[in-house]
Amino acid sequence: MTVRTRFAPSPTGFLHIGGARTALFSWAYAQRHGGKFILRIEDTDVERSTPEAVKAILDGMQWLGLNHDEGPFYQMQRIARYKQVIDEMLAAGTAYLCYTTRDELDALRAEQEARKEKPRYDGRWRPDVGKTLALVPDGVPPVVRFRNPTDGVVAWDDQVKGRIEFSNGELDDFIIARADGTPTYNFCVVVDDWDMAITHVIRGDDHVNNTPRQINLLQALGAPVPCYAHLSMILGDDGQKLSKRHGAVSVMQYDDDGYLPEAVLNYLARLGWSHGDEEVFSMEQFTQWFDLDHITASAAQFNTEKLNWLNAHYIKAAAPQRLAAEVVRRLARQGVATEGGPDVAKVAALYRDRAGNLNELADAVHPFYVLVHASEEDRAHHLTEIARNALAALRNRLTDCTWQAAELGQLVKQTAAELGLKMPQVAIPLRVALLGLPQSPAIDAVLEVLGRERVLERLNSVLA
């Protein structure tokens, strides 16, 4: 059997962290077993589905690197197939037309609630043996309902939660096609999983109640039933269910906030799954290790501090040219051009160990391309007359020297020694003059990367 998994988001909003984890686990399981990962866009909710949301999902998947093997398939392009299956079910008697009006359903619900019963359709149009149905009313477009079994249980061995059983007596004959002919979610999912030969359905546990209905539908169609694995919810840092108020932001927001996709993936992989005590690992390692047996059934809690730690780790490990591209992209948003300036990869390398995210890295690199004037406080505190005299002396040495970090560092030390000053008494004012800030990486490295022309230009500006 070839393993075939799917990720099937509804394009009614962005791709959030919960959906991204589902996609990651589905992708990884297919990778682990040499199978196929299918992307399906469940867009039958016409009123809420938008092209912008579809783009947001595709952009998020691409940014994470979760490439699909087949698709994306769009349910709205498969309407003819759904109608074909519904017609076959009507002919086979596994589905039937129901003419109950909205007012009748509302009245039925009110009666059941008054009797403290679970609201459910009472099967009044179900064509059971020996039952006489009412006359078909004029002008009432029918819905199509699935003829759900009334006896026994529907059960499955969930790969995460263990054995789950539902009594068929608790499941009513749910609608599979609305009065306007559009098919419903539970029906489309079943036909899609059948047609696409899905072997493993990995999804959030908010779908547990849908699963018995879908299994009964599959069995009525004579289709194979896939293995199900329902992932527990993700809680926010505050222990609350993820929502827009509690961290459920778009995956692409993490890009905007300066996270590397590999950091986000590594973090998501550990949300409810583990491989011993391993915390940092590549996606290659993850796909070698991943299986459904080690997914925990309890809720996972989001920890922004751990994500930030991982992000800093991956920034330190990233190739210089990769960091340079990210920095250039972020500086461009601020209107800062890097062409003709210092080598961005070299500048980024100076700060990579200090940055928690790519935005911090871009902010640190910024003064190498745009002259940043020090605050009045820093100017008054660090650019004293003694400091300015030291910078003037150093400037003269810098006009004609080998422009390498080791020699540049020696020139700073020599200038300080000759004037009877300590090294920081020259290095800190030099940082303020060149970058507008009293802190930076090693001053010799800053001088080398910034370049002779800019260093002298900035010193002249401060000393003028």
Side-chain angles (χ1 to χ4, degrees), residues 307-335:
L307 173 59
N308 291 342
W309 175 80
L310 274 171
N311 199 48
H313 167 83
Y314 279 102
I315 287 175
K316 291 176 185 177
Q321 292 301 328
R322 167 96 182 280
L323 293 179
E326 292 288 352
V327 165
V328 168
R329 181 161 67 97
R330 284 164 168 75
L331 289 179
R333 292 176 189 164
Q334 304 172 28

Side-chain angles (χ1 to χ4, degrees), residues 2 34 42 70 72 88 148 168 178 228 238 281 343 423:
T2 299
E42 299 187 338
E70 296 177 17
E88 292 171 355
N148 196 77
N168 277 321
R178 303 177 184 90
Y228 291 94
D238 58 1
F281 43 81
D343 187 320
M423 179 70 169

Side-chain angles (χ1 to χ4, degrees), residues 315 323 327 348 351-352 355 357-366:
I315 287 175
L323 293 179
V327 165
Y351 289 92
R352 65 194 301 166
N357 62 65
L358 296 169
N359 292 341
E360 290 179 5
L361 183 60
D363 289 343
V365 167
H366 181 219

Side-chain angles (χ1 to χ4, degrees), residues 12 24 48 73 81 89 92 94 113 135 150 168 178 356 398:
T12 55
L24 171 62
R48 297 175 61 214
F73 298 107
R81 169 60 175 157
M89 292 180 68
T94 53
E113 290 177 345
L135 294 175
T150 56
N168 277 321
R178 303 177 184 90
L398 295 175

